[in-house]
Structures are given as structure tokens and as C-alpha cells.
Amino acid sequence: WFPTDDSISVVYLDSYDEVRRVKAEYKELLEGTSSKRHQRFVATCESLGLPLNQGKRLIGAVQGTLQGGDLDGQTGTFGASHDKKIGLLGVAAALLGQGKATEFELRHFVGKAIFAMAFRRPTMAFLEEVFVDIGKARQGPITLSRRTVDEILSVMALLPLMAMNLRAQFDPEVTITDASPS
């Protein structure tokens, strides 16, 4: 609940950043000029003596981290951050090295994999057998099935491609293929 009087409450906003698509001609943005809205936000925080989280500051940056992902304004891509990718590779390599896994270990891998895959959602399409193995592991550690091993290897191999292209053009024509005549 919020107070009914005029007192001030601090509400924590995780990673408040305003990301704007700009043309290269707008040099002042790359030099660190923030928007009017963000200037008002900073002024309010300063007038109230509220600290700003400088570690999450992206104003004028062409690269930065947002919600666990790396935003690269030069290449126009947004994907899982480097440390998240390293963590996923470590868990995947450990599973492959052991050849056996518990339900928790498989769920841990899948959670990290799906986080990275969310930046390029079609990559989620091939995960299937790992969920079957998770069900089998409820009774205790299991030997990974060959298909689960292949899925883990696929995640590792596709990891560099798990980023969205923020500059991709929309195709004005939609093509739908279907076996039915309608």
C-alpha cells in the first residue's frame, strides 16, 4: 500500500533505461545527451537525495546490459550476456562430462538454455527429449539419453546465434504454406 499523506516512498525500478532507436546523424545522443523525460527523472532523484545506480547507466552508450542481455548498438543485436552464456556452457559441459544427471541438474540446464534461447525463439523448437529425461529423473539420477545429449550439444553449438537482430526489416508480404487448399 502507498501512504495517503504527502510523504515520499522509494520504489525500486530495476534497470530503468530508455532505449531509443536513432540515426547516426544524432551525434549528441552518442555523446551522452539524455531525453527530457530521463532528465526530469534524474532531477527528481537528485532533489530528493535518492541515489542513482550508475552501474546500470546507458545514456549515450552504444553498448550495455539490460535484463541479463547484452545490447550492442553498433551491430544492432540483443542477446544473452557473456557471463550468462559462460554459465550455460559450464552447466552443459558438466552434464555431458558426467553422462548422468539428476532432475535438478536437468532443470537447471533447461532454465539457463531457455533464457538464452528467448533472444532467438526459434531455437527452442528442438528441445524435446530433455523434458522426457527430466520426467525419468524424478526417481533419481539417470544416464542421459542419446537424444538429450544431442540437444545439449545443439544448445552449445547454437549459443553464438542466440541473439535478435534489432535492425531486421519487416517483410511486407506474409507467406503461409499449408497442405489444405484454403
Side-chain angles (χ1 to χ4, degrees):
W1 60 272
F2 286 95
T4 55
D5 59 8
D6 288 336
S7 63
I8 296 172
S9 297
V10 175
V11 178
Y12 178 72
L13 299 175
D14 185 21
S15 191
Y16 172 76
D17 294 297
E18 183 176 348
V19 178
R20 294 174 283 168
R21 183 177 175 168
V22 298
K23 295 184 178 180
E25 306 81 84
Y26 299 120
K27 186 179 174 186
E28 70 276 0
L29 289 174
L30 298 176
E31 293 173 348
T33 304
S34 59
S35 71
K36 298 290 184 205
R37 284 188 300 257
H38 205 275
Q39 288 173 12
R40 283 196 318 266
F41 173 78
V42 171
T44 301
C45 289
E46 288 173 351
S47 71
L48 298 172
L50 300 174
L52 295 170
N53 187 342
Q54 296 300 321
K56 293 187 174 183
R57 186 177 171 92
L58 288 179
I59 297 169
V62 292
Q63 294 181 331
T65 301
L66 288 171
Q67 303 298 316
D70 285 337
L71 176 65
D72 188 335
Q74 291 177 322
T75 62
T77 58
F78 186 42
S81 64
H82 183 72
D83 62 319
K84 301 254 188 238
K85 289 179 183 178
I86 296 299
L88 172 55
L89 286 174
V91 170
L95 286 174
L96 294 176
Q98 292 175 0
K100 294 186 175 202
T102 64
E103 179 187 3
F104 172 81
E105 291 167 337
L106 288 172
R107 288 186 185 278
H108 188 73
F109 163 75
V110 167
K112 287 181 173 290
I114 288 181
F115 175 81
M117 292 170 150
F119 293 96
R120 190 89 174 246
R121 293 189 179 193
T123 58
M124 291 183 194
F126 66 83
L127 284 184
E128 183 177 309
E129 194 67 25
V130 69
F131 296 109
V132 174
D133 276 1
I134 286 173
K136 291 176 184 174
R138 288 184 177 147
Q139 278 53 274
I142 61 160
T143 299
L144 298 176
S145 68
R146 183 68 199 156
R147 289 191 58 198
T148 293
V149 169
D150 288 346
E151 289 175 6
I152 293 170
L153 287 168
S154 297
V155 168
M156 295 172 80
L158 290 173
L159 191 56
L161 303 176
M162 292 179 194
M164 61 182 80
N165 177 0
L166 300 175
R167 295 185 182 143
Q169 298 297 311
F170 289 101
D171 190 335
E173 183 176 321
V174 176
T175 303
I176 301 171
T177 59
D178 193 332
S180 67
S182 62

